[in-house]
Amino acid sequence: MLKRVLSYAHELLQSSIQPGETVIDGTCGNGKDTIVLSKLVGDSGQVLAFDVQEQAIENTKQRLAEEKISNVKLIHDSHENAETYLPEEVYGFVGGAIFNLGYLPGSDKSVITKPTSTIQAVDTIVKYLKSGGLIILVVYYGHEGGEAEKNALLDHLRSFEQKNYNVLQYGFINQKNSPPFILAIEKK
Ligand SMILES: C[S@@+](CC[C@H](N)C(=O)[O-])C[C@H]1O[C@@H](n2cnc3c(N)ncnc32)[C@H](O)[C@@H]1O
């Protein structure tokens, strides 16, 4: 059976992240992926979870408290500044990262991820990624500005050297309403 996009994204993370690692949620939103990452790395690991919206940070904080999770560092800043928050000792050891692009469901649709900052974040995190680690981008593009981000990302990732990275696109091509698809970058 074909895997649905979101469950495939989580399966990919599960297949590559190990307990004890530092991992990144580039867009924590309501915290769903943050919780998935937190469980994968366990108490000896750490999740750095970014969002530019106060509301997203608060929503995630609440969900983490409900789940009694304490291995997450919430960062109220743009993911393009990831390097400021990544300790030097995790260079080459970051276990993985996920980004859900677009806007926070049930919130202000004018706050969206943008091509330049998303690409900057990917370029930074890929340097810190372990060999065999994955960056997963779940690309929502049906909103205003979404198409431009999608195209910029595809163009950028097509230029990643095949000898250093595998870049996968996974999604359904016969669904209505611009369904999300996955872009996954694997560092060789
Ligand atoms: C689709 S939502 C994320 C949903 C989230 N993964 C969840 O499970 O609920 C996208 C999020 O990206 C955030 N965002 C937009 N630009 C950002 C940036 N430059 N850095 C970090 N977060 C950003 C938005 O505030 C929004 O919460």
Side-chain angles (χ1 to χ4, degrees), residues 26-33 50-53 56 77-79 100-105 111-113 117:
T27 56
C28 68
N30 292 321
K32 271 199 210 143
D33 294 325
F50 292 85
D51 208 291
V52 284
Q53 278 191 84
D77 195 356
S78 171
H79 41 229
N100 265 260
L101 304 181
Y103 59 86
L104 181 63
V111 183
I112 55 169
T113 52
S117 38

Side-chain angles (χ1 to χ4, degrees), residues 90-112:
V90 301
Y91 194 93
F93 292 103
V94 165
I98 187 161
F99 291 73
N100 265 260
L101 304 181
Y103 59 86
L104 181 63
S107 178
D108 186 354
K109 283 194 189 172
S110 69
V111 183
I112 55 169

Side-chain angles (χ1 to χ4, degrees), residues 17-21 23 25 31-48 64 67-72:
I17 291 174
Q18 299 300 321
E21 289 180 334
V23 294
D25 187 346
K32 271 199 210 143
D33 294 325
T34 312
I35 290 171
V36 170
L37 291 174
S38 157
K39 291 182 176 161
L40 289 176
V41 297
D43 287 341
S44 57
Q46 179 172 228
V47 185
L48 304 183
L64 295 175
E67 300 260 344
K68 300 193 170 35
I69 284 174
S70 57
N71 62 349
V72 175

Side-chain angles (χ1 to χ4, degrees), residues 164-182:
N164 299 327
Y165 304 99
N166 292 315
V167 186
L168 168 90
Q169 180 172 0
Y170 180 89
F172 295 90
I173 61 169
N174 66 334
Q175 291 179 348
K176 295 195 180 92
N177 302 325
S178 317
F181 64 89
I182 291 173

